[in-house]
């Protein structure tokens, strides 16, 4: 992720000074940024580390995307940068930061982790915690299970912040993008299942 973080800093420099010489070590500014859950889990830490190392006078004010009108905030100057999977139409420049695969997250010792690779039947056998605040489109999962004559059991829909305690205390599983799941599992003491 070092490349995208450097590119983000370069883009911020262009936005600040219109392409004039930018000395990150001497620059002081506050940047208002919204990030979706994926970006908060996978990009916020390396972005903070890069800013601390290369631009210590920069303050990052990172907020969740939520239901904000990102285009309106960008137009009014209430926002400098957005990392989201919500398409912005019209005059806004967007770039794909990464492609990611999906994995299953569950409590350590979960029976779904007993297989080397989780099967469709095993995935369908357990109730799913659908994470309502991630903005990830997981309809592919229902299509994949349906092709095998299976159906996903929804046990609960809840925001990402509730997932650690729900997953640790139940047999529910959740499907997340790999990068987000890796960070999430490390922070929340959960297991990543392929």
């Amino acid at each position: 992720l070092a490349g995208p973080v450097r590119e983000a800093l370069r883009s911020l420099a262009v936005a600040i000074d219109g392409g004039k010489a930018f000395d990150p070590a001497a620059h002081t500014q506050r940047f208002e940024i919204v990030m979706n859950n994926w970006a908060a889990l996978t990009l916020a830490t390396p972005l903070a580390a890069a800013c601390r190392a290369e631009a210590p006078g920069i303050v990052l004010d990172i907020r969740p995307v939520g239901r904000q009108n990102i285009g309106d905030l960008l137009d009014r100057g209430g926002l400098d940068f957005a990392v989201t999977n919500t398409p912005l139409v019209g005059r806004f420049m967007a770039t794909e930061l990464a492609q990611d695969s999906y994995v299953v997250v569950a409590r350590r010792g979960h029976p779904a982790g007993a297989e080397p690779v989780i099967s469709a039947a095993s995935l369908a056998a357990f109730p799913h915690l659908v994470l309502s605040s991630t903005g990830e489109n997981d309809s592919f999962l229902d299509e994949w299970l349906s092709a095998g004559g299976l159906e996903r059991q929804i046990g609960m829909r809840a925001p990402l912040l509730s997932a650690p305690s729900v997953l640790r205390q139940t047999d529910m599983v959740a499907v997340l993008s790999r990068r987000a799941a890796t960070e999430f599992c490390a922070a929340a003491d959960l297991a990543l299942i392929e």
Side-chain angles (χ1 to χ4, degrees):
L1 295 175
V5 170
R6 277 196 198 91
E7 180 59 26
L9 287 173
R10 189 197 65 71
S11 295
L12 290 173
V14 170
I16 295 166
D17 294 321
K20 297 177 193 168
F22 174 67
D23 179 9
H27 196 79
T28 58
Q29 186 169 348
R30 175 185 204 93
F31 288 99
E32 305 285 335
I33 303 170
V34 294
M35 289 186 173
N36 63 10
N37 286 327
W38 179 89
L41 286 168
T42 63
L43 298 178
T45 299
L47 183 59
C51 284
R52 298 303 338 132
E54 298 180 31
I58 288 178
V59 175
L60 302 174
D61 185 354
I62 299 174
R63 300 184 310 250
V65 170
R67 296 178 190 249
Q68 301 179 65
N69 184 328
I70 297 169
D72 186 47
L73 285 170
L74 287 165
D75 280 340
R76 290 186 289 121
L79 192 58
D80 298 300
F81 198 66
V83 183
T84 178
N85 54 352
T86 304
L88 296 174
V89 295
R91 66 204 163 284
F92 300 106
M93 182 181 75
T95 187
E96 183 177 279
L97 294 178
Q99 292 185 351
D100 215 346
S101 59
Y102 285 82
V103 294
V104 175
V105 176
R107 66 174 167 75
R108 294 197 182 279
H110 192 286
E115 305 171 36
V117 176
I118 192 167
S119 67
S122 182
L123 192 57
F126 296 100
H128 286 239
L129 169 61
V130 176
L131 302 171
S132 58
S133 62
T134 64
E136 292 183 349
N137 181 358
D138 63 358
S139 62
F140 70 91
L141 182 57
D142 295 313
E143 293 167 11
W144 179 62
L145 291 172
S146 179
L150 301 168
E151 188 175 333
R152 177 167 55 158
Q153 302 174 45
I154 305 296
M156 180 180 199
R157 291 184 197 278
L160 182 67
L161 288 175
S162 66
S165 58
V166 170
L167 292 173
R168 277 195 307 263
Q169 296 176 46
T170 69
D171 271 351
M172 285 191 216
V173 297
V175 175
L176 282 168
S177 59
R178 177 179 297 280
R179 284 186 180 100
T182 300
E183 294 296 325
F184 193 65
C185 287
D189 193 35
L190 294 166
L192 188 146
I193 303 169
E194 300 287 330

